[in-house]
Amino acid sequence: MLTRTISVDSATFARDHWNRRPLLSRAADLPADFDDLLSTDAVDELIAQRGVRKPFIRMAKDGELLAGERYLSSAGFGADMPDQIDSAKVLAEFAAGTTIVLQGLHRLWPPVIDFVAAMVADLGHPVQANAYITPASNRGFDPHYDVHDVFVLQTAGRKHWVVYEPVFVDPLPGQSWSTHRQAIEERSREEPVIDAVLEPGDALYLPRGWIHAAQALGETSIHLTVGVSPVTVHDAVRALIDELADSPQMRASLPMGVDFAASAQIRPIAEKALAAALDVVGSSSSDYASAVADRLTWRHADRTRPVAVRPLSTVAQLSSITSDTVVGWRGGLVGELCEHDGVVDLRLREKTITFPESCARALDWLHAGHRGAAGSLPGLDSADGVVLARRLLREAVVVISESQRAPSDPAHVGESGRPE
């Protein structure tokens, strides 16, 4: 999906733009427009028929968020919840020049759900999507920066964008633009890096920290903001700090009798603590690197969601699995395989599933991303393969391939469990 949003090849984007510089891509240089993701009719359907609730909607005007009671109300008998969209109130505010913000569309709208899942696969970092619907000749927010990267996908109307160099490079989630308001105001009076009108089908990539503002022109503007929350060096260091909690030396108390209100007294203690931490890490740097990698993996599992499963159809499929049924690892599911004491543990975020050791090769093969017929999984005979596939399907670990045809023959799998 990344190639839908950029007018350069992926390698060039990674080298020259990712976390470095913006990229404006015109519709003529992209494979297709974005109307399939969120059209004008789709916005009306979400507002009028889908029962969207706060915080999945916000409204903003002249840089300020509106109070919820201005556009929310109860849905009446059977849905008496006060935080649902009131379409008539939304109409009144929108007609008066207020921007509609539909948040978390990667959890609400099927085309965006699929698009975001594919973007996670392409980029490797967590991704989400919001939509901004701005009335003609209005703006939603003042010049500001985001603490995540964004891909702006113009789906309808036109919007004038101005982009400026950062005043604070690579902000982290807690480092809001509001703390640099004066510097941003001054920067926004300088020459912009990009001053362009986005037409339907155009796309704009902005790394975090780049200052921007936008205004709709003579018609309603709709654009998707696909936000990417990059995993940073800071995240890796924080994971290391968390891992150091397992070290008795790092859990030791600092000396008593210290005046913690006096920085001069604390500094030598802090220097000793830092030196001790560096010594602990330096003596086992490889082990700590592995532990940090594990923590980042599980953090990724917390911040993303695997491809959704359909409970009713899955239960119906359980009884119909045969040796020819093709299964594959559920997209986006994070798991870890661990062999011990004659069994194999599959550790998922919320549970651990234990299998006989005989299933190790098949599990490793599926975990590596291969698809195969249940009766031909490596290391198992046909009957055992069907049993394993049925259990993995029941536990939402694998899904049945839509094509029902394996891309490779598991019979030609080496001892490592990978195709030879």
Side-chain angles (χ1 to χ4, degrees):
M1 286 299 177
L2 176 62
T3 57
R4 283 196 64 179
T5 69
I6 55 175
S7 55
V8 297
D9 61 82
S10 298
T12 300
F13 177 78
R15 183 188 67 239
D16 297 339
H17 295 281
W18 172 253
N19 194 221
R20 289 179 178 84
R21 293 196 64 80
L23 174 65
L24 174 61
S25 301
R26 293 300 187 182
D29 300 317
L30 297 175
D33 62 25
F34 307 111
D35 193 63
D36 60 311
L37 298 180
L38 190 73
S39 65
T40 301
D41 288 342
V43 172
D44 272 345
E45 180 178 336
L46 281 160
I47 291 172
Q49 297 176 280
R50 292 287 178 161
V52 176
R53 303 171 61 186
K54 190 179 181 182
F56 289 100
I57 183 172
R58 296 186 300 167
M59 299 194 75
K61 187 175 184 181
D62 296 329
E64 299 293 333
L65 292 174
L66 267 63
E69 58 265 21
R70 298 269 294 271
Y71 55 91
L72 302 173
S73 69
S74 167
F77 177 67
D80 191 14
M81 294 165 285
D83 58 354
Q84 296 187 69
I85 289 179
D86 185 315
S87 58
K89 288 183 177 181
V90 171
L91 168 60
E93 295 294 348
F94 185 69
T98 303
T99 291
I100 302 167
V101 184
L102 295 174
Q103 301 193 128
L105 287 178
H106 59 294
R107 295 292 300 134
L108 293 175
W109 192 241
V112 178
I113 291 171
D114 295 340
F115 178 84
V116 165
M119 285 290 280
V120 173
D122 288 346
L123 296 170
H125 299 262
V127 179
Q128 58 93 41
N130 299 337
Y132 294 80
I133 303 95
T134 307
S137 304
N138 277 270
R139 65 181 178 86
F141 297 95
D142 291 328
H144 64 285
Y145 66 69
D146 295 318
V147 295
H148 51 268
D149 295 27
V150 298
F151 293 84
V152 178
L153 312 180
Q154 190 73 22
T155 70
R158 299 178 302 146
K159 204 161 195 178
H160 179 208
W161 284 78
V162 286
V163 179
Y164 303 91
E165 294 271 359
V167 297
F168 187 73
V169 176
D170 292 342
L172 297 173
Q175 297 171 323
S176 169
W177 69 273
S178 60
T179 60
H180 302 278
R181 193 183 300 269
Q182 183 175 347
I184 290 172
E185 290 176 357
E186 294 173 357
R187 181 58 53 84
S188 65
R189 291 192 288 270
E190 299 177 5
E191 188 74 18
V193 174
I194 292 176
D195 186 340
V197 173
L198 263 63
E199 307 270 355
D202 291 344
L204 175 64
Y205 166 71
L206 295 175
R208 58 197 162 104
W210 285 74
I211 299 162
H212 56 277
Q215 180 164 341
L217 298 180
E219 62 278 323
T220 295
S221 165
I222 302 175
H223 77 262
L224 277 170
T225 292
V226 179
V228 185
S229 181
V231 181
T232 66
V233 175
H234 186 261
D235 292 321
V237 173
R238 291 191 64 173
L240 173 61
I241 297 299
D242 291 339
E243 190 63 28
L244 285 172
D246 289 337
S247 167
Q249 188 175 354
M250 294 295 98
R251 297 198 303 270
S253 299
L254 297 179
M256 63 176 290
V258 177
D259 182 1
F260 284 97
S263 177
Q265 285 193 35
I266 301 172
R267 179 168 179 170
I269 297 174
E271 289 176 346
K272 289 181 64 176
L274 180 58
L278 293 173
D279 182 62
V280 169
V281 174
S283 63
S284 304
S285 59
S286 179
D287 292 340
Y288 276 106
S290 296
V292 166
D294 288 344
R295 284 183 178 271
L296 291 177
T297 294
W298 290 117
R299 183 172 182 266
H300 180 76
D302 282 337
R303 302 178 69 210
T304 58
R305 298 175 69 98
V307 172
V309 295
R310 298 178 179 270
L312 274 64
S313 60
T314 300
V315 168
Q317 290 170 334
L318 288 172
S319 60
S320 60
I321 291 180
T322 69
S323 60
D324 295 325
T325 302
V326 177
V327 295
W329 195 266
R330 180 183 170 196
L333 180 68
V334 177
E336 180 183 64
L337 292 167
C338 178
E339 294 185 52
H340 65 96
D341 302 325
V343 297
V344 181
D345 284 341
L346 172 56
R347 298 173 181 171
L348 305 175
R349 193 67 193 122
E350 297 180 347
K351 62 183 177 182
T352 296
I353 313 169
T354 300
F355 301 89
E357 190 176 35
S358 58
C359 296
R361 285 185 62 202
L363 289 168
D364 183 65
W365 191 81
L366 290 166
H367 186 243
H370 301 295
R371 293 184 293 117
S376 302
L377 295 177
L380 297 174
D381 62 27
S382 179
D384 287 342
V386 170
V387 170
L388 176 62
R390 184 174 289 118
R391 184 175 182 200
L392 291 173
L393 184 66
R394 171 66 178 79
E395 298 282 3
V397 173
V398 301
V399 294
I400 292 178
S401 172
E402 292 182 3
S403 68
Q404 279 293 292
R405 185 173 63 188
S408 58
D409 182 2
H412 300 291
V413 173
E415 292 301 316
S416 65
R418 305 304 198 268
E420 292 185 323

